[in-house]
Structures are given as structure tokens and as C-alpha cells.
Amino acid sequence: MELDCATELRLGPPGSSSSSATSCSGDTKRPSAKRTLDDSRSEASGTGPAAVDDDQDTATPAKAQVVGWPPVRAYRKNTFQAAAAAKKAEQLFVKVSMDGAPYLRKVDLGLYKGYRELRDALDVLFTAKPFPSSGAADQLAVAYEDKDGDLMLVGDHVHLFLQEAEDNEGVRGQVIMIKGQASRGSATHGKGSTIGNHGCTERFSSACACIQEAEETSKKNMCI
Amino acid sequence: MTYFPEEVVEHIFSFLPAQRDRNAVSLVCKVWYEVERLSRRHVFVGNCYAVRPDRVVLRFPNVRALSVKGKPHFADFNLVPPDWGGYAGPWIEAAARGCVGLEELRMKRMVVSDESLELLAKSFPRFRALILVSCEGFSTDGLAAIASHCKLLRELDLQENEVDDRGPRWLSCFPDSCTSLASLNFACIKGEVNAGALERLVARSPNLRSLRLNRSVSVDTLSKILMRTPNLEDLGTGNLTEDFQTESYQRLTVALEKCKMLKSLSGFWDASPLCVPCIYPVCAQLTGLNLSYAPTLESSDLTKMISHCVKLQRLWVLDCIADKGLQVVASTCKDLQELRVFPSEFYIAGYSPVTEEGLVAISAGCPKLSSLLYFCHQMTNAALITIAKNCPNFTRFRLCILEPGKPDAMTNQPLDEGFGAIVRECEGLRRLSISGLLTDKVFMHIGRHAKQLEMLSIAFAGDSDAGMMHVMEGCKNLRKLEIRDSPFGDAALLGNVAKYETMRSLWMSSCTVTEKGCQVLASKMPMLNVEVINEVDESSEMDESHGGLPKVHKLYVYRTIAGPRDDAPDFVKIL
């Protein structure tokens, strides 16, 4: 059953596997599927998700939908769609890395009320302990590289960090965790707090000074 | 014939719980018919239109547990128009008239009104259990009636129903004297519930074994509840998406650790990855786990959890788990019997993290696997053949390749041989759903080998009438056949009309059956209802035809002793 149709719907770039035996809309033996599928097949022209756009949740030609297909209960579909809509409203994903950790984590900043929650959450994600201990020694400093290329502590001006993260692709890709006694003089305040700029450099260098030692400990503690 | 007193005969029958056996003994003689019908406690009606409610109640006045199913299975996927039918009212009204000893009612895919629920609540003084699955038409007011009036209520189980939420009042309607609850599932209720009322209800229900909450229940409320239910066996979580609050999650872990009897976990609505560590303490004791509503859990979160679940028998998960996650399942869950992998996205063209490789790994690692539902974007014959050899114990095998008509991903051939292997190796197969590119050959295999098959679902498959005819000839135990978008027409429909009497139902939509063919079927088989369902806006598509005859859009055929139903809407024509 080798059918050659210009409008067949399949994965892969156009022109590949021309002897594909996938069904297509021109076949008179097979009854035509629903109108939606026919239209979308001719528009799709043999490519897969050609117009992949995560923000579009209405059916684009490439993301064609057939009535009642896939066979997933309406209840389940409705549950997902409601959740997806709510999610899209609040998401702000950043990548977080820690030296020595085998892989990065993606974190949705929209989930956290303030810096403390974020720091606690990152602690959970990157260390073996299920809960962050209250001891200062294990707390982390979270830093990012801003648009000038400087390493900035997130906790100093959380709202500025969030602003930059929203505006700037580079920031979203580059949040770094520094393990160390960052609690000494660093921002333990909630969101919206401001600390004078003069403290920044000192805190950073004190954090850096402890990195070496902290990294040894972190390598022992980690069991991801 | 040796004379036995009726009490003795009745006692003997009590060892025959299966409806089929009881139906058989009731045919032996009039005496046995009478004894059997008066002692029947469970009645199962697979199609609510196959028999009139009054007749059931008349024959079995002492029934304790009644199960009724309404709409055909494809209604789950919006293929049956709203207002088609499946009303619970007549059943509840008949039971209220004729069997007041009713204790349990189970309904699936039916339309239930608040008035019916109120009648139910007030008519049966010994009523204990209400289980509604995929139903609609009622609101929380109906639930309030049940809570208020069913003094001995043990079980209120609402699974995936469409419920009109009219506020949290219903939960407070359980009187203080109600202490008999053993199972409460309100996961499908969309709105808030009163946390205090819930906590008090749980506190006065020492027999509570199964509790499934809805999304509105906070982590703190969940923890408080769990501290009161050390004997809980089945839990559906509430809201686990909350902003990360250390103390809350710590309390949850402590509370969960107390539940030594906990075997089954579900819920996890949009659960945050940060809740996963809280579950670790109970993972090792779980036999059932449903993570299929947690699209925010990534493969690594899922595998971390599952790697602790060594006793797991039933796993429902999203395809985010990916092939590598399924490999972890395969190496950890040696007792796995049922696996369902759902799609996290519903588009037919795209990338999915699960492929045939994940399923092959599962089949190799989990030899006890007997029930499968697997959504993926690609499959190969080679994989299916391997899977069939690894797991000959399949009783339910449902494979859904998301793109209709997609061939073997490696060879571009149809998947006939792969599915052929499944039906050949799995002699106990009772339920099968096929997908991908399939010719008439696959139906030849099915007809030849699937001798225990009871339910078959076909979509976008086959070349000609011969396909369907292979199935109708060969599958001796077939009860339900549902087909969509496949080239089967009148010849197939009429090829073996006597068979429909041995089946519960046939569904055909977007096939090439014509109204004339349906007329012929109806006239040859008066004990069938032949329903032609035509939706108005589709009538313009009827141009493509066989010999100028309009094609039937949707056809539903079922055996019945009730005659044509009188509650059919305008768009349903009963021939």
C-alpha cells in the first residue's frame, strides 16, 4: 500500500521517505476523516510541528486535532487545559546550576513568595537532605550574571532580579548557586527588601572565601 | 428428580455469585427460576437500554446491589452527542417502587439528576454505597441530599464525574450521627470544601479506609486528616502545588509515616516536584500509584519516587516519565500488573518522550504485566513481537499511537504483524485497542487467534469490509465492538447479523455504512435497536457516498428486550 500524496501528514522534514505508506486525505478507499483533519493535513504539507509555538494553545495547522482523538477522557483533557492556562499566567523559568552538581534544574520563580522560599527550595533540589536545616552553615547564596556580566546576589534586590529574569534570556539561563556562609551579612530579608549597595562587594567576597571549603562539604553531602 | 427444599437450593445458589452462572441455573426449571430470582442480590445491567428497569425490579425484588451502564464507551471521547440518553431517573424510580432493600448503586456514563439523587436518598433505608463513574447532570445539592438522608452511608465514590459545584455546603450535611463512612471520594468536585467540616467528618469515621480529596484541600488540612486515619489504605491527595512551606511539608511527611496500611496513592494534581520527598516514607509499601495528573513532575522526579516503590502493582503515569523512566520502572517494579502511560499533550504530530523502547523495557522487566494502556508517537513490529513474547499474560492491551495511520517507525510497514503477535501469544486477551497503520491482515490475525476477546476498539484501520468480517466470524466471545474512521460498509455490517444477538453492542462512526444497510439490519433482527445518530452540521459532508446513498455518520446497535426506547432525542433515529 504505497500511496504518494503531496498532502500526507507525517513526522520528519519534507522530501524524506517518499515511499511512506501513511494514509492520506486523497485516498478514496479510506473514508475521509473529520473535516478538521482534512483541512489541517493540506496545511501541514508533510512537516511535523512546523510552527511550534509554546504560547499558542489554539490548534495551529501543525498541531492539528481530530474530534475525539486521541482517545483521552474529556475529564482528563479538561483537567489539563485548565491547569495549563493557569500555569502560563505565572511561569518564569530559570536554570539553576551548582558547581559539582551533575545536572541543572529548571525552576519556576512564579511559585515562590519570596527569597527565603526560593532558597529553601533550591536547597532541597540540590542537596541530599529533604529539608533545609536551619543552621546558617548550610545555607546557600544564589547569584546571577546580570546584563553587564557581573555576578550579583539574587537576595539583595529580589525584585530587580525578577525584572531582569523576565527581560533577559541570558539571566534566565544562568542562575548559579554558591554554597557557603552567605548568611553572614547577606540578604535574608523577604521580597522587596533593599540593602545598601555598599554591602554587596564585601558580602560577595566573604561568600567566595568560603566556597572552597563549602565545595568539599557539598561533594560529600550530595547524592543526586 | 430428588427433591430439595427451596432453602437448600437457595443455599447452593449462594455459592454462585457470578451473574452468568445464576442466569444459567434460572433456566433449568420454574422452581429454580423462582428460587434464584428471589435470592439474587447483585444485578449488573451492561446497557441500560437492553431491558426496562421495571422488568428488572419485578424479577429481582430482593436485589441489594444494582449496577447500570449507560452511554457507549466512545462517549468518553465526545463522540456521542449530548442529550443522547442514558438517564438514571427511570432506574432509581423503578427501584424505589420495587426493591426498597437496595443497598448499593453503581452507575457508569449515565445522566443523573439532583431529583433522582434526592429520591435515592429518601427511598432506601438501608442504602450504603453510591458509586458514580463518568456521570453528569447533577450538582453538589444532590450530594447534600445523599449526605443528609443516608444514615448508614459507607461509601460515596465519585469518579471523574461532571458535577455542577454549588458550594461547600454538601459536606457539612453529613449528620454528626454519621460514623459509618469507609470510603469517600470527591476528587472530581471542582470547588472549595469546608476544611473544618472535612476534618470533623474524618474524625468521626473510624472505618475510613479510602479517602480521595479534591484540589481545594490544603497540605495542612491533609496532614491533620492523616493524623486521624492510621488505618487508611487508599489516599487521593489534595493540593500539593502550594508555595514551598517547609513546616507544612514536614508535617505531611510525619503524618504519612503514620499510615502504615497505606497501599494506594493518587491525586497529585499539578503537584510540585518539591512534594516528592514527602512521599518517600510510604513508597515502599505502595501497590498502587497514580501520577497521571502531575504534568509538572519531570522524569527525574518520577524516577526518584518510583525507585522506592518495589511493591508496585498498578502504575498510572504521564509520558513525561520518558523511556529512561520506564526503564527504572522495569527494574524496580517486579510485581507490576497494570501500567497506564497517558499523553501530556494531545496533539497528533510531535515529539513524545516515550517510544516503543520504553514498552519493550517494561515487558522485559515486568513479566506479570497483564493490563496496559500506552500512548506513544511511534511503534514497531519488532517491538510488539518482543513484547508479546515477554508478556504472554496480557488480558488488556490498549496501544494508542497518537498519529492515525502511522506505520512501523523503522520499516514503514503496517503494524499487522506486531499486533498479530500480541493476539497469538496472549491467549487470555479479553480487551484490545489497536492503532497505527493497519490493513485487513491484522483483522485476519485477530479473527484467527483472539478467541477470548470480549472488547475490540478500532480506529483508522483496515482496507475493506473483509477486515470487519474476519472479526465477526472469528472472535467467538466478542461482546463489544467499537469502530471509527475505518472503511467498513454495509457488507461488513450485514455479513453475520446473528452475531449481534450474542454481543452487547456495536458502534460504528465515520465508516461507510449507509442508511439502507441499517434498515436491512433492523428488519432482519427485530431484537436489536439500530440507532442512527446524525448530527445536523455533519449532513453536508454526506456527499461522498456509495452508489449515491447518504452515509450514516454514527451507528449504535445493541441487543435489547425493551424495544425501541422512548427517550431518544430528535437526532437519533431508531430503525
Side-chain angles (χ1 to χ4, degrees):
Chain A
M1 252 195 63
E2 310 265 286
L3 301 158
D4 207 4
C5 283
T7 56
E8 56 179 296
L9 179 69
R10 54 185 165 81
L11 292 178
S16 66
S17 61
S18 55
S19 59
S20 162
T22 50
S23 60
C24 68
S25 53
D27 182 9
T28 48
K29 276 167 98 180
R30 197 182 291 278
S32 62
K34 290 296 209 176
R35 191 188 290 130
T36 49
L37 180 59
D38 286 344
D39 287 350
S40 57
R41 280 182 173 181
S42 49
E43 286 177 51
S45 320
T47 51
V52 172
D53 183 353
D54 283 344
D55 290 333
Q56 268 186 286
D57 47 17
T58 53
T60 64
K63 294 187 177 182
Q65 298 198 325
V66 180
V67 173
W69 190 267
V72 171
R73 276 199 183 158
Y75 177 84
R76 181 175 289 279
K77 269 192 183 161
N78 293 342
T79 309
F80 273 46
Q81 267 145 27
K87 252 176 51 171
K88 283 186 192 309
E90 304 213 3
Q91 281 167 348
L92 177 58
F93 281 106
V94 294
K95 289 193 216 174
V96 185
S97 64
M98 182 164 84
D99 244 7
Y103 49 81
L104 284 67
R105 299 305 299 247
K106 215 171 211 178
V107 170
D108 179 3
L109 295 179
L111 288 181
Y112 306 105
K113 279 209 180 86
Y115 179 64
R116 194 203 166 99
E117 275 82 16
L118 171 65
R119 218 185 48 210
D120 287 348
L122 291 177
D123 212 359
V124 170
L125 287 174
F126 280 90
T127 70
K129 294 198 259 311
F131 301 106
S133 60
S134 47
D138 284 342
Q139 281 186 339
L140 301 150
V142 189
Y144 69 100
E145 221 177 79
D146 71 2
K147 53 188 186 319
D148 300 326
D150 299 324
L151 201 60
M152 310 291 295
L153 274 182
V154 166
D156 279 348
H157 296 272
V158 177
H159 63 288
L160 288 180
F161 163 63
L162 290 173
Q163 192 62 51
E164 280 223 44
E166 255 179 54
D167 299 338
N168 195 335
E169 273 276 341
V171 169
R172 288 208 287 281
Q174 289 197 41
V175 179
I176 304 167
M177 302 237 298
I178 304 166
K179 208 161 162 58
Q181 292 192 340
S183 58
R184 182 188 287 282
S186 79
T188 52
H189 308 264
K191 76 172 171 193
S193 68
T194 52
I195 301 160
N197 279 336
H198 62 271
C200 203
T201 332
E202 284 158 34
R203 284 195 293 280
F204 181 66
S205 40
S206 78
C208 283
C210 301
I211 286 176
Q212 201 76 354
E213 183 194 304
E215 271 184 359
E216 312 301 296
T217 343
S218 82
K219 278 189 178 120
K220 274 187 259 164
N221 285 345
M222 253 184 340
C223 64
I224 294 171
Chain B
M1 182 171 119
T2 319
Y3 168 78
F4 279 126
E6 287 182 6
E7 298 79 27
V8 175
V9 178
E10 184 179 320
H11 183 67
I12 295 172
F13 288 172
S14 68
F15 292 98
L16 299 173
Q19 182 155 297
R20 245 175 239 188
D21 294 331
R22 295 202 65 123
N23 289 346
V25 302
S26 67
L27 295 174
V28 168
C29 63
K30 277 212 171 95
V31 173
W32 281 29
Y33 178 89
E34 281 301 304
V35 172
E36 195 283 313
R37 79 176 187 90
L38 292 173
S39 61
R40 176 86 72 103
R41 298 285 177 259
H42 290 77
V43 171
F44 169 75
V45 179
N47 175 0
C48 66
Y49 291 121
V51 59
R52 289 197 188 277
D54 284 318
R55 190 154 168 178
V56 173
V57 159
L58 204 63
R59 181 172 168 187
F60 304 113
N62 300 319
V63 69
R64 301 267 190 273
L66 178 63
S67 273
V68 189
K69 289 173 143 186
K71 300 185 201 180
H73 174 236
F74 273 178
D76 283 351
F77 317 130
N78 294 333
L79 287 180
V80 176
D83 303 328
W84 170 84
Y87 301 107
W91 289 91
I92 295 175
E93 286 153 28
R97 282 191 294 269
C99 41
V100 288
L102 191 69
E103 295 176 9
E104 298 177 19
L105 181 63
R106 282 173 185 74
M107 298 198 135
K108 186 167 184 181
R109 283 189 214 103
M110 295 193 75
V111 179
V112 187
S113 67
D114 283 344
E115 291 72 30
S116 295
L117 288 177
E118 197 166 334
L119 180 63
L120 176 70
K122 292 181 177 162
S123 305
F124 308 105
R126 294 213 291 270
F127 197 74
R128 298 183 320 183
L130 178 63
I131 297 110
L132 298 176
V133 181
S134 297
C135 295
E136 56 178 345
F138 61 102
S139 77
T140 47
D141 288 348
L143 301 178
I146 298 283
S148 308
H149 300 288
C150 298
K151 309 222 178 320
L152 302 174
L153 197 67
R154 254 191 6 187
E155 197 173 333
L156 179 60
D157 187 1
L158 306 168
Q159 298 178 28
E160 298 190 350
N161 302 290
E162 277 299 323
V163 186
D164 185 20
D165 193 314
R166 302 221 181 126
R169 170 186 81 93
W170 68 277
L171 194 64
S172 310
C173 288
F174 284 102
D176 289 342
S177 54
C178 174
T179 59
S180 46
L181 266 184
S183 170
L184 176 63
N185 174 2
F186 62 92
C188 62
I189 304 295
K190 296 182 192 106
E192 302 273 316
V193 291
N194 184 315
L198 178 60
E199 288 169 41
R200 286 191 297 277
L201 179 61
V202 171
R204 64 178 186 277
S205 305
N207 296 324
L208 202 61
R209 295 287 171 272
S210 169
L211 180 62
R212 296 191 182 192
L213 309 169
N214 77 350
R215 282 178 206 250
S216 74
V217 178
S218 70
V219 180
D220 286 334
T221 305
L222 173 58
S223 303
K224 282 192 209 151
I225 287 173
L226 290 175
M227 295 301 281
R228 303 279 209 157
T229 56
N231 293 328
L232 201 66
E233 293 169 13
D234 168 46
L235 173 68
T237 68
N239 188 337
L240 294 175
T241 67
E242 277 176 5
D243 295 356
F244 187 72
Q245 300 275 343
T246 317
E247 298 83 23
S248 291
Y249 279 106
Q250 266 172 337
R251 275 198 291 274
L252 179 61
T253 305
V254 169
L256 272 172
E257 272 169 342
K258 288 216 168 348
C259 299
K260 302 284 184 211
M261 311 284 288
L262 196 64
K263 295 264 184 323
S264 165
L265 260 189
S266 59
F268 293 98
W269 318 100
D270 301 309
S272 152
L274 300 162
C275 77
V276 167
C278 306
I279 313 296
Y280 290 167
V282 293
C283 282
Q285 60 197 67
L286 292 180
T287 57
L289 183 57
N290 182 352
L291 297 166
S292 65
Y293 288 101
T296 38
L297 294 182
E298 296 176 353
S299 180
S300 50
D301 305 309
L302 294 167
T303 49
K304 267 195 232 172
M305 201 195 289
I306 290 170
S307 59
H308 296 282
C309 300
V310 289
K311 288 199 184 151
L312 213 56
Q313 293 172 16
R314 187 175 49 83
L315 175 63
W316 291 22
V317 78
L318 288 173
D319 60 7
C320 329
I321 192 172
D323 284 338
K324 62 181 192 317
L326 290 174
Q327 273 153 15
V328 172
V329 175
S331 56
T332 311
C333 309
K334 293 306 181 186
D335 287 337
L336 197 68
Q337 291 167 23
E338 177 180 329
L339 174 66
R340 297 196 190 187
V341 179
F342 292 95
S344 44
E345 279 210 347
F346 307 121
Y347 305 115
I348 63 177
Y351 160 74
S352 168
V354 304
T355 69
E356 75 276 12
E357 289 183 14
L359 191 53
V360 170
I362 291 280
S363 71
C366 309
K368 293 187 192 173
L369 195 64
S370 61
S371 174
L372 179 75
L373 172 62
Y374 197 79
F375 285 83
C376 59
H377 277 270
Q378 65 179 53
M379 187 50 61
T380 65
N381 283 309
L384 283 171
I385 291 168
T386 306
I387 291 159
K389 291 235 163 59
N390 289 341
C391 288
N393 295 322
F394 276 122
T395 54
R396 294 188 209 81
F397 189 89
R398 294 191 281 164
L399 179 66
C400 180
I401 301 165
L402 284 152
E403 188 183 324
K406 185 150 187 228
D408 180 317
M410 277 197 323
T411 66
N412 265 332
Q413 293 302 304
L415 289 169
D416 301 330
E417 293 314 307
F419 281 105
I422 295 284
V423 293
R424 242 191 323 274
E425 302 291 332
C426 305
E427 290 174 355
L429 196 66
R430 293 199 312 265
R431 184 171 180 182
L432 177 65
S433 297
I434 56 180
S435 58
L437 180 66
L438 296 163
T439 71
D440 285 345
K441 276 211 200 102
V442 72
F443 298 112
M444 208 175 68
H445 294 314
I446 292 172
R448 192 174 288 166
H449 297 284
K451 293 306 179 189
Q452 299 301 319
L453 195 65
E454 295 176 8
M455 183 170 178
L456 179 61
S457 305
I458 301 168
F460 305 99
D463 305 316
S464 72
D465 290 325
M468 181 170 159
M469 287 163 86
H470 285 309
V471 171
M472 293 289 281
E473 278 304 314
C475 297
K476 298 293 175 213
N477 283 302
L478 194 65
R479 293 191 299 117
K480 289 179 278 183
L481 180 58
E482 47 185 27
I483 307 171
R484 63 166 292 177
D485 293 278
S486 300
F488 305 138
D490 294 341
L493 181 69
L494 300 170
N496 185 357
V497 293
K499 183 146 181 85
Y500 297 120
E501 226 187 336
T502 69
M503 290 168 57
R504 183 186 297 173
S505 65
L506 166 73
W507 170 279
M508 292 179 78
S509 58
S510 303
C511 297
T512 51
V513 173
T514 70
E515 193 153 323
K516 180 135 188 291
C518 298
Q519 293 278 12
V520 173
L521 177 61
S523 59
K524 279 191 176 176
M525 301 290 288
M527 74 292 291
L528 302 178
N529 274 357
V530 178
E531 293 195 10
V532 171
I533 302 163
N534 280 320
E535 286 157 301
V536 174
D537 41 302
E538 300 295 341
S539 55
S540 54
E541 275 194 80
M542 301 286 204
D543 301 333
E544 298 141 285
S545 51
H546 279 218
L549 292 163
K551 277 197 293 226
V552 159
H553 187 223
K554 291 175 183 170
L555 170 67
Y556 185 45
V557 178
Y558 53 90
R559 67 178 176 194
T560 178
I561 55 172
R565 58 188 176 106
D566 47 19
D567 61 2
D570 293 334
F571 53 81
V572 171
K573 202 160 140 190
I574 304 179
L575 303 176

